[in-house]
Amino acid sequence: MRVISGIYKRRRFDVPPTFKARPTTDFAKENLFNVLNNYLDFEDGVNALDLFAGTGSISLELVSRGCDRVLSIEKDPQHYAFINKVMKEIKADNWFPIRGDVFRFIERCGETFDFIFADPPYALPNLKEIPDLIFEHQLLKEDGLFVLEHGKDLQFDQHPHFVEHRHYGSVNFSFFR
């Protein structure tokens, strides 16, 4: 896992080979953040939420780029422990991993975010419902941006909050506002 840009640029962290999570590829992550730079100024007080954080790759990139606060939600204990290890290694005081179920978090969360990223397992049965849940529970600030990573079989262009779709190899991102 490599940090693309920011204060931790070029730092590498070895993800244990036993992990079930598939980190977003460097190619897809770099292109995603190139697009995100048109939507957000990460150094301008961005409060971010990373759902299904997995290895913490996106959270780490957000911290590196200057987000004020990054919350990472991850259910798997091994992945959560790895995220904590990386967080402590870089001494990030603005990165807050939470071990728990994303859907319970969404239901109970009482705050809003400038940026939300979700990278659920592609085979998750209710993956298509995630954008509706984000907006129903009002987790996104008025000018905020939500990005969902998903497989090629899903289309969100009819969703009322859909903005655009990008794909990089087998990785697809749908953007919502």
Side-chain angles (χ1 to χ4, degrees):
M1 180 172 82
R2 178 176 65 96
V3 182
I4 306 296
S5 188
I7 59 174
Y8 304 114
K9 184 178 181 174
R10 296 191 192 107
R11 293 267 318 254
R12 290 187 176 276
F13 298 90
D14 293 325
V15 177
T18 57
F19 267 31
K20 294 175 269 182
R22 43 145 187 77
T24 303
T25 65
D26 284 352
F27 173 72
K29 184 168 61 170
E30 186 168 6
N31 282 291
L32 169 65
F33 276 90
N34 286 340
V35 174
L36 290 177
N37 285 330
N38 295 318
Y39 285 99
L40 299 163
D41 179 358
F42 292 106
E43 296 177 359
D44 189 26
V46 170
N47 186 21
L49 174 63
D50 183 4
L51 301 172
F52 305 95
T55 62
S57 174
I58 297 295
S59 295
L60 176 58
E61 195 71 39
L62 291 165
V63 169
S64 181
R65 289 171 186 252
C67 282
D68 274 5
R69 184 168 171 260
V70 177
L71 243 61
S72 303
I73 314 302
E74 176 53 50
K75 187 176 185 176
D76 185 280
Q78 187 182 19
H79 299 175
Y80 172 75
F82 179 76
I83 291 169
N84 272 294
K85 178 182 166 250
V86 172
M87 180 198 68
K88 289 173 184 164
E89 189 173 322
I90 64 169
K91 297 177 176 69
D93 59 357
N94 58 336
W95 187 3
F96 303 94
I98 296 173
R99 182 168 171 241
D101 179 79
V102 165
F103 295 101
R104 283 193 198 133
F105 177 85
I106 289 171
E107 286 177 9
R108 297 175 182 163
C109 182
E111 64 181 297
T112 58
F113 300 88
D114 302 293
F115 177 64
I116 300 173
F117 180 81
D119 180 10
Y122 288 4
L124 187 72
N126 50 348
L127 187 151
K128 195 167 178 117
E129 299 168 18
I130 294 172
D132 291 333
L133 293 171
I134 296 297
F135 290 100
E136 283 171 18
H137 292 279
Q138 301 175 353
L139 297 185
L140 199 61
K141 289 183 180 175
E142 188 175 323
D143 292 331
L145 179 69
F146 167 53
V147 176
L148 175 64
E149 183 175 331
H150 58 87
K152 65 181 177 183
D153 298 336
L154 292 178
Q155 300 293 323
F156 292 95
D157 54 340
Q158 298 301 309
H159 193 279
H161 294 280
F162 176 82
V163 177
E164 71 173 295
H165 173 260
R166 300 283 178 121
H167 67 94
Y168 305 100
S170 62
V171 178
N172 290 265
F173 298 109
S174 289
F175 294 68
F176 303 85
R177 288 206 116 156

